[in-house]
Amino acid sequence: MFLLPVHDLRFLSDGIFELELERRGYRFGSGECAVLYNGGDESRPYSIASGPGEDVLRFLIRRIDGGAVSPWLAARRRGEGVRISTPFGHFRPGQEGDTGDPAVFVATGVGIAPFLSFLGGGDRIRPLFVEGTVGAPNARPLCLYGVRHLHEAVHVDLLRRFTEMRVAVSREAAAGCHHGRVTDLLAEIPLAPNTQFYLCGLDAMVDAVAYWLDARGVEHTRIHTEVFFSSDERR
């Protein structure tokens, strides 16, 4: 268990905030999670959004009114301590990219966090995804990102820099975005035999995309999933 001081906290939209903690030697790998505690004994797991080479430890968190942990975290101030577990997890977005396998990322909401962690290791990703088309060896990964409202799409500049990104906005029309669910965009996914698929976010989305891939003959070993919240979960 660690007690790490808050370095910064900022709201990226009405309900989504980014919590930065001082690392103080905290080590982790891209895609790993950590359990964050409130002032008592209640806790929730959150995916780490910062790259392993960054100076701070960042988390993307949706504030849920009446939630056990997220409102408490949202009220923290610089210098206050937050209890955090050691990192854990087996979700490794883009890890097969080291061998040149093309990657597809599909995320909803704050489920974009592990992909930001991978992309945040800028020096690591630049040699992997430089030029090329989606689905080709060493191509930029395709990233399908679903949000309810456009203002909930975070760190879009980083995503556009390193991925071929499509944003789906379900509850409003937005210029340059698909109006609908991210699952509407599945036909754009390349199905090359060596493509690796990483799905993170709402359980219904993860299940739907995994089922769609399975129905098209994609081996289960190439479908990597992380369900961090369900339709009725409270944080």
Side-chain angles (χ1 to χ4, degrees):
M1 187 74 67
F2 295 79
L3 182 65
L4 300 180
V6 173
H7 178 264
D8 195 11
L9 187 150
R10 54 189 171 275
F11 272 82
L12 305 180
S13 72
D14 291 343
I16 297 174
F17 64 96
E18 189 167 57
L19 174 67
E20 289 187 357
L21 304 178
E22 296 180 17
R23 286 190 63 169
R24 298 197 171 184
Y26 190 94
R27 302 182 65 180
F28 66 94
S30 293
E32 288 192 306
C33 312
V35 170
L36 302 183
Y37 290 80
N38 62 12
D41 294 327
E42 293 182 284
S43 64
R44 293 291 186 273
Y46 296 98
S47 188
I48 298 171
S50 51
E54 295 185 43
D55 295 333
V56 296
L57 189 63
R58 290 187 290 111
F59 296 89
L60 281 179
I61 301 172
R62 182 182 296 277
R63 187 189 188 282
I64 302 297
D65 292 337
V69 176
S70 64
W72 185 87
L73 292 173
R76 295 310 90 202
R77 298 292 181 264
R78 186 181 180 93
E80 294 182 336
V82 174
R83 285 188 298 152
I84 176 174
S85 73
T86 55
F88 62 93
H90 302 285
F91 191 65
R92 297 287 187 274
Q95 64 181 344
E96 283 78 9
D98 289 336
T99 63
D101 285 354
V104 172
F105 304 156
V106 185
T108 53
V110 294
I112 199 69
F115 305 129
L116 292 171
S117 178
F118 175 70
L119 297 174
D123 290 340
R124 176 173 178 266
I125 194 171
R126 289 188 189 102
L128 300 181
F129 308 113
V130 182
E131 299 291 344
T133 58
V134 172
N138 296 318
R140 288 150 55 92
L142 172 65
C143 179
L144 305 181
Y145 183 16
V147 293
R148 297 175 301 179
H149 301 279
L150 183 60
H151 68 265
E152 295 177 335
V154 300
H155 295 299
V156 172
D157 289 345
L158 175 65
L159 292 164
R160 291 197 187 283
R161 182 181 178 188
F162 288 122
T163 74
E164 299 293 336
M165 187 178 70
R166 290 291 310 278
V167 177
V169 184
S170 63
R171 298 189 182 180
E172 63 182 358
C177 302
H178 170 74
H179 186 196
R181 298 182 182 278
V182 71
T183 48
D184 298 340
L185 304 176
L186 297 184
E188 300 185 18
I189 291 180
L191 296 175
N194 59 337
T195 301
Q196 302 291 330
F197 303 91
Y198 301 89
L199 321 175
C200 185
L202 191 66
D203 54 355
M205 179 279 290
V206 171
D207 290 344
V209 178
Y211 179 84
W212 186 90
L213 292 170
D214 179 70
R216 283 152 182 79
V218 176
E219 298 92 339
H220 293 173
T221 56
R222 294 194 286 121
I223 304 173
H224 316 277
T225 64
E226 184 84 292
V227 176
F228 248 58
F229 44 94
S230 63
S231 302
D232 59 356
E233 185 173 355
R234 294 295 179 264
R235 293 197 176 203

